[in-house]
Amino acid sequence: GNSVTQMEGPVTLSEEAFLTINCTYTATGYPSLFWYVQYPGEGLQLLLKATKADDKGSNKGFEATYRKETTSFHLEKGSVQVSDSAVYFCALRRETSGTYKYIFGTGTRLKVLA
Amino acid sequence: DTGVSQDPRHKITKRGQNVTFRCDPISEHNRLYWYRQTLGQGPEFLTYFQNEAQLEKSRLLSDRFSAERPKGSFSTLEIQRTEQGDSAMYLCASTLGSGANVLTFGAGSRLTVL
């Protein structure tokens, strides 16, 4: 079936460190891929998306590239800030006979220390 | 556009009671989703509406759970005879049914069953 697997957290980094959060997926066809972020006490917000192979999504210094050959959508940021501390969710959207379902990973908590 | 609204934000109830949550999506969004999120986990799909039609229900949704979207606008999620295992955050999200759609989430309704 369709699923998303994320690296387990928590991930603890110092400010200005490089961030990678791994995400791989299993899906039939060519799903759209998303990263959502959940800041403490808030709802999930879209961070970035990619809709086809080799697309790169980017926002707020974060990037992720849709890699069909490795079924991956790893999230990266060159220099994290304390304000990036949050839980990050990788997700896919699959279409079946005109219905659309969004499937989320379990989330990766990021803690950035000053 | 005030985003996706959920009510109540917090609900504490005793085991065996019924509870109902309401979701008001973004006005032009025709697709509405309900998810459940427990601590340390990602959002888990419950059900999905396109306009007033309920197109998909998770097998996880027992017969104690029912959802409606009577006029294709707001939606309600009712849980009958609540159990302690129902304690979770119930998330509503909506999207416009075209293009590479992005889910917009509400802040969630937290249920605690004593």
Side-chain angles (χ1 to χ4, degrees), chain A residues 56-76:
Chain A
K56 178 186 282 189
S58 61
N59 186 25
K60 299 181 182 179
F62 290 89
E63 292 183 340
T65 301
Y66 189 146
R67 300 285 188 202
K68 177 170 163 287
E69 63 276 11
T70 55
T71 62
S72 65
F73 193 53
H74 304 321
L75 182 68
E76 296 182 336

PDB file of all heavy atoms in Angstrom, chain A residues 56-76:
ATOM      1  N   LYS A  56      11.956  20.338  -7.415  1.00  0.00           N
ATOM      2  CA  LYS A  56      12.500  20.747  -6.124  1.00  0.00           C
ATOM      3  C   LYS A  56      11.528  21.729  -5.498  1.00  0.00           C
ATOM      4  O   LYS A  56      11.214  22.753  -6.104  1.00  0.00           O
ATOM      5  CB  LYS A  56      13.874  21.392  -6.283  1.00  0.00           C
ATOM      6  CG  LYS A  56      14.463  21.888  -4.973  1.00  0.00           C
ATOM      7  CD  LYS A  56      15.766  22.649  -5.181  1.00  0.00           C
ATOM      8  CE  LYS A  56      16.919  21.719  -5.408  1.00  0.00           C
ATOM      9  NZ  LYS A  56      18.220  22.428  -5.412  1.00  0.00           N
ATOM     10  N   GLY A  57      11.071  21.414  -4.306  1.00  0.00           N
ATOM     11  CA  GLY A  57      10.268  22.354  -3.545  1.00  0.00           C
ATOM     12  C   GLY A  57      11.172  23.141  -2.612  1.00  0.00           C
ATOM     13  O   GLY A  57      12.164  22.608  -2.104  1.00  0.00           O
ATOM     14  N   SER A  58      10.844  24.418  -2.401  1.00  0.00           N
ATOM     15  CA  SER A  58      11.668  25.213  -1.500  1.00  0.00           C
ATOM     16  C   SER A  58      10.829  26.287  -0.836  1.00  0.00           C
ATOM     17  O   SER A  58       9.851  26.785  -1.408  1.00  0.00           O
ATOM     18  CB  SER A  58      12.837  25.850  -2.256  1.00  0.00           C
ATOM     19  OG  SER A  58      12.356  26.715  -3.264  1.00  0.00           O
ATOM     20  N   ASN A  59      11.224  26.616   0.401  1.00  0.00           N
ATOM     21  CA  ASN A  59      10.521  27.648   1.158  1.00  0.00           C
ATOM     22  C   ASN A  59      11.310  27.917   2.433  1.00  0.00           C
ATOM     23  O   ASN A  59      11.781  26.982   3.088  1.00  0.00           O
ATOM     24  CB  ASN A  59       9.100  27.189   1.513  1.00  0.00           C
ATOM     25  CG  ASN A  59       8.277  28.276   2.178  1.00  0.00           C
ATOM     26  OD1 ASN A  59       8.525  29.461   2.000  1.00  0.00           O
ATOM     27  ND2 ASN A  59       7.277  27.867   2.944  1.00  0.00           N
ATOM     28  N   LYS A  60      11.471  29.163   2.782  1.00  0.00           N
ATOM     29  CA  LYS A  60      12.113  29.580   4.037  1.00  0.00           C
ATOM     30  C   LYS A  60      13.497  28.961   4.211  1.00  0.00           C
ATOM     31  O   LYS A  60      13.910  28.663   5.331  1.00  0.00           O
ATOM     32  CB  LYS A  60      11.248  29.195   5.240  1.00  0.00           C
ATOM     33  CG  LYS A  60       9.875  29.833   5.249  1.00  0.00           C
ATOM     34  CD  LYS A  60       9.103  29.419   6.491  1.00  0.00           C
ATOM     35  CE  LYS A  60       7.715  30.020   6.487  1.00  0.00           C
ATOM     36  NZ  LYS A  60       6.924  29.607   7.681  1.00  0.00           N
ATOM     37  N   GLY A  61      14.203  28.725   3.125  1.00  0.00           N
ATOM     38  CA  GLY A  61      15.540  28.151   3.196  1.00  0.00           C
ATOM     39  C   GLY A  61      15.557  26.637   3.209  1.00  0.00           C
ATOM     40  O   GLY A  61      16.614  26.022   3.117  1.00  0.00           O
ATOM     41  N   PHE A  62      14.390  26.008   3.300  1.00  0.00           N
ATOM     42  CA  PHE A  62      14.274  24.558   3.242  1.00  0.00           C
ATOM     43  C   PHE A  62      14.115  24.120   1.785  1.00  0.00           C
ATOM     44  O   PHE A  62      13.501  24.819   0.981  1.00  0.00           O
ATOM     45  CB  PHE A  62      13.056  24.062   4.036  1.00  0.00           C
ATOM     46  CG  PHE A  62      13.184  24.206   5.520  1.00  0.00           C
ATOM     47  CD1 PHE A  62      12.777  25.372   6.157  1.00  0.00           C
ATOM     48  CD2 PHE A  62      13.699  23.177   6.288  1.00  0.00           C
ATOM     49  CE1 PHE A  62      12.883  25.502   7.517  1.00  0.00           C
ATOM     50  CE2 PHE A  62      13.806  23.303   7.661  1.00  0.00           C
ATOM     51  CZ  PHE A  62      13.402  24.474   8.278  1.00  0.00           C
ATOM     52  N   GLU A  63      14.651  22.942   1.478  1.00  0.00           N
ATOM     53  CA  GLU A  63      14.522  22.375   0.127  1.00  0.00           C
ATOM     54  C   GLU A  63      14.288  20.886   0.224  1.00  0.00           C
ATOM     55  O   GLU A  63      14.737  20.233   1.180  1.00  0.00           O
ATOM     56  CB  GLU A  63      15.814  22.589  -0.670  1.00  0.00           C
ATOM     57  CG  GLU A  63      16.132  24.003  -1.023  1.00  0.00           C
ATOM     58  CD  GLU A  63      17.385  24.097  -1.880  1.00  0.00           C
ATOM     59  OE1 GLU A  63      18.190  23.143  -1.869  1.00  0.00           O
ATOM     60  OE2 GLU A  63      17.555  25.127  -2.544  1.00  0.00           O
ATOM     61  N   ALA A  64      13.599  20.354  -0.791  1.00  0.00           N
ATOM     62  CA  ALA A  64      13.468  18.905  -0.919  1.00  0.00           C
ATOM     63  C   ALA A  64      13.278  18.585  -2.393  1.00  0.00           C
ATOM     64  O   ALA A  64      12.543  19.295  -3.088  1.00  0.00           O
ATOM     65  CB  ALA A  64      12.289  18.374  -0.108  1.00  0.00           C
ATOM     66  N   THR A  65      13.930  17.528  -2.872  1.00  0.00           N
ATOM     67  CA  THR A  65      13.853  17.144  -4.274  1.00  0.00           C
ATOM     68  C   THR A  65      13.161  15.792  -4.391  1.00  0.00           C
ATOM     69  O   THR A  65      13.513  14.841  -3.685  1.00  0.00           O
ATOM     70  CB  THR A  65      15.247  17.070  -4.906  1.00  0.00           C
ATOM     71  OG1 THR A  65      15.870  18.358  -4.782  1.00  0.00           O
ATOM     72  CG2 THR A  65      15.152  16.688  -6.377  1.00  0.00           C
ATOM     73  N   TYR A  66      12.202  15.713  -5.292  1.00  0.00           N
ATOM     74  CA  TYR A  66      11.424  14.496  -5.550  1.00  0.00           C
ATOM     75  C   TYR A  66      12.298  13.539  -6.350  1.00  0.00           C
ATOM     76  O   TYR A  66      12.576  13.763  -7.532  1.00  0.00           O
ATOM     77  CB  TYR A  66      10.194  14.906  -6.359  1.00  0.00           C
ATOM     78  CG  TYR A  66       9.113  13.884  -6.578  1.00  0.00           C
ATOM     79  CD1 TYR A  66       7.799  14.295  -6.623  1.00  0.00           C
ATOM     80  CD2 TYR A  66       9.370  12.539  -6.800  1.00  0.00           C
ATOM     81  CE1 TYR A  66       6.765  13.409  -6.868  1.00  0.00           C
ATOM     82  CE2 TYR A  66       8.353  11.644  -7.034  1.00  0.00           C
ATOM     83  CZ  TYR A  66       7.051  12.080  -7.070  1.00  0.00           C
ATOM     84  OH  TYR A  66       6.028  11.205  -7.320  1.00  0.00           O
ATOM     85  N   ARG A  67      12.747  12.475  -5.717  1.00  0.00           N
ATOM     86  CA  ARG A  67      13.625  11.500  -6.363  1.00  0.00           C
ATOM     87  C   ARG A  67      12.851  10.210  -6.594  1.00  0.00           C
ATOM     88  O   ARG A  67      12.637   9.408  -5.676  1.00  0.00           O
ATOM     89  CB  ARG A  67      14.843  11.189  -5.482  1.00  0.00           C
ATOM     90  CG  ARG A  67      15.706  12.390  -5.169  1.00  0.00           C
ATOM     91  CD  ARG A  67      16.530  12.804  -6.337  1.00  0.00           C
ATOM     92  NE  ARG A  67      17.494  13.854  -5.967  1.00  0.00           N
ATOM     93  CZ  ARG A  67      18.023  14.681  -6.844  1.00  0.00           C
ATOM     94  NH1 ARG A  67      17.681  14.616  -8.126  1.00  0.00           N
ATOM     95  NH2 ARG A  67      18.900  15.597  -6.442  1.00  0.00           N
ATOM     96  N   LYS A  68      12.430  10.012  -7.824  1.00  0.00           N
ATOM     97  CA  LYS A  68      11.621   8.828  -8.155  1.00  0.00           C
ATOM     98  C   LYS A  68      12.465   7.563  -8.061  1.00  0.00           C
ATOM     99  O   LYS A  68      11.998   6.518  -7.622  1.00  0.00           O
ATOM    100  CB  LYS A  68      11.038   9.010  -9.552  1.00  0.00           C
ATOM    101  CG  LYS A  68      10.227   7.850 -10.075  1.00  0.00           C
ATOM    102  CD  LYS A  68       9.513   8.261 -11.345  1.00  0.00           C
ATOM    103  CE  LYS A  68       9.023   7.058 -12.127  1.00  0.00           C
ATOM    104  NZ  LYS A  68      10.136   6.348 -12.785  1.00  0.00           N
ATOM    105  N   GLU A  69      13.720   7.655  -8.474  1.00  0.00           N
ATOM    106  CA  GLU A  69      14.547   6.431  -8.532  1.00  0.00           C
ATOM    107  C   GLU A  69      14.840   5.871  -7.146  1.00  0.00           C
ATOM    108  O   GLU A  69      15.012   4.663  -6.988  1.00  0.00           O
ATOM    109  CB  GLU A  69      15.847   6.717  -9.288  1.00  0.00           C
ATOM    110  CG  GLU A  69      16.764   7.738  -8.660  1.00  0.00           C
ATOM    111  CD  GLU A  69      16.404   9.179  -8.998  1.00  0.00           C
ATOM    112  OE1 GLU A  69      15.310   9.413  -9.550  1.00  0.00           O
ATOM    113  OE2 GLU A  69      17.212  10.067  -8.668  1.00  0.00           O
ATOM    114  N   THR A  70      14.875   6.751  -6.142  1.00  0.00           N
ATOM    115  CA  THR A  70      15.114   6.287  -4.774  1.00  0.00           C
ATOM    116  C   THR A  70      13.865   6.427  -3.910  1.00  0.00           C
ATOM    117  O   THR A  70      13.922   6.162  -2.710  1.00  0.00           O
ATOM    118  CB  THR A  70      16.257   7.086  -4.126  1.00  0.00           C
ATOM    119  OG1 THR A  70      15.964   8.489  -4.208  1.00  0.00           O
ATOM    120  CG2 THR A  70      17.586   6.794  -4.815  1.00  0.00           C
ATOM    121  N   THR A  71      12.757   6.803  -4.514  1.00  0.00           N
ATOM    122  CA  THR A  71      11.476   7.070  -3.811  1.00  0.00           C
ATOM    123  C   THR A  71      11.731   7.850  -2.522  1.00  0.00           C
ATOM    124  O   THR A  71      11.317   7.448  -1.433  1.00  0.00           O
ATOM    125  CB  THR A  71      10.690   5.768  -3.532  1.00  0.00           C
ATOM    126  OG1 THR A  71      11.445   4.910  -2.675  1.00  0.00           O
ATOM    127  CG2 THR A  71      10.342   5.064  -4.820  1.00  0.00           C
ATOM    128  N   SER A  72      12.396   8.991  -2.680  1.00  0.00           N
ATOM    129  CA  SER A  72      12.753   9.787  -1.517  1.00  0.00           C
ATOM    130  C   SER A  72      12.387  11.250  -1.718  1.00  0.00           C
ATOM    131  O   SER A  72      12.216  11.724  -2.855  1.00  0.00           O
ATOM    132  CB  SER A  72      14.249   9.659  -1.222  1.00  0.00           C
ATOM    133  OG  SER A  72      15.010  10.209  -2.283  1.00  0.00           O
ATOM    134  N   PHE A  73      12.274  11.956  -0.583  1.00  0.00           N
ATOM    135  CA  PHE A  73      11.947  13.377  -0.598  1.00  0.00           C
ATOM    136  C   PHE A  73      12.566  13.977   0.667  1.00  0.00           C
ATOM    137  O   PHE A  73      11.883  14.447   1.549  1.00  0.00           O
ATOM    138  CB  PHE A  73      10.431  13.556  -0.640  1.00  0.00           C
ATOM    139  CG  PHE A  73       9.946  14.945  -0.953  1.00  0.00           C
ATOM    140  CD1 PHE A  73      10.385  15.625  -2.084  1.00  0.00           C
ATOM    141  CD2 PHE A  73       9.021  15.571  -0.136  1.00  0.00           C
ATOM    142  CE1 PHE A  73       9.916  16.898  -2.393  1.00  0.00           C
ATOM    143  CE2 PHE A  73       8.545  16.849  -0.429  1.00  0.00           C
ATOM    144  CZ  PHE A  73       8.993  17.508  -1.555  1.00  0.00           C
ATOM    145  N   HIS A  74      13.872  13.961   0.751  1.00  0.00           N
ATOM    146  CA  HIS A  74      14.582  14.370   1.950  1.00  0.00           C
ATOM    147  C   HIS A  74      14.540  15.894   2.103  1.00  0.00           C
ATOM    148  O   HIS A  74      14.765  16.640   1.147  1.00  0.00           O
ATOM    149  CB  HIS A  74      16.045  13.920   1.899  1.00  0.00           C
ATOM    150  CG  HIS A  74      16.203  12.444   1.700  1.00  0.00           C
ATOM    151  ND1 HIS A  74      15.386  11.504   2.297  1.00  0.00           N
ATOM    152  CD2 HIS A  74      17.112  11.746   0.953  1.00  0.00           C
ATOM    153  CE1 HIS A  74      15.780  10.295   1.943  1.00  0.00           C
ATOM    154  NE2 HIS A  74      16.812  10.406   1.123  1.00  0.00           N
ATOM    155  N   LEU A  75      14.332  16.329   3.332  1.00  0.00           N
ATOM    156  CA  LEU A  75      14.274  17.758   3.639  1.00  0.00           C
ATOM    157  C   LEU A  75      15.650  18.245   4.072  1.00  0.00           C
ATOM    158  O   LEU A  75      16.300  17.601   4.904  1.00  0.00           O
ATOM    159  CB  LEU A  75      13.259  18.011   4.763  1.00  0.00           C
ATOM    160  CG  LEU A  75      13.032  19.458   5.166  1.00  0.00           C
ATOM    161  CD1 LEU A  75      12.327  20.225   4.049  1.00  0.00           C
ATOM    162  CD2 LEU A  75      12.202  19.527   6.453  1.00  0.00           C
ATOM    163  N   GLU A  76      16.077  19.384   3.533  1.00  0.00           N
ATOM    164  CA  GLU A  76      17.391  19.931   3.869  1.00  0.00           C
ATOM    165  C   GLU A  76      17.293  21.430   4.122  1.00  0.00           C
ATOM    166  O   GLU A  76      16.457  22.121   3.547  1.00  0.00           O
ATOM    167  CB  GLU A  76      18.393  19.683   2.721  1.00  0.00           C
ATOM    168  CG  GLU A  76      18.674  18.224   2.453  1.00  0.00           C
ATOM    169  CD  GLU A  76      19.695  18.025   1.353  1.00  0.00           C
ATOM    170  OE1 GLU A  76      19.850  18.933   0.503  1.00  0.00           O
ATOM    171  OE2 GLU A  76      20.346  16.961   1.341  1.00  0.00           O
TER     172      GLU A  76
END
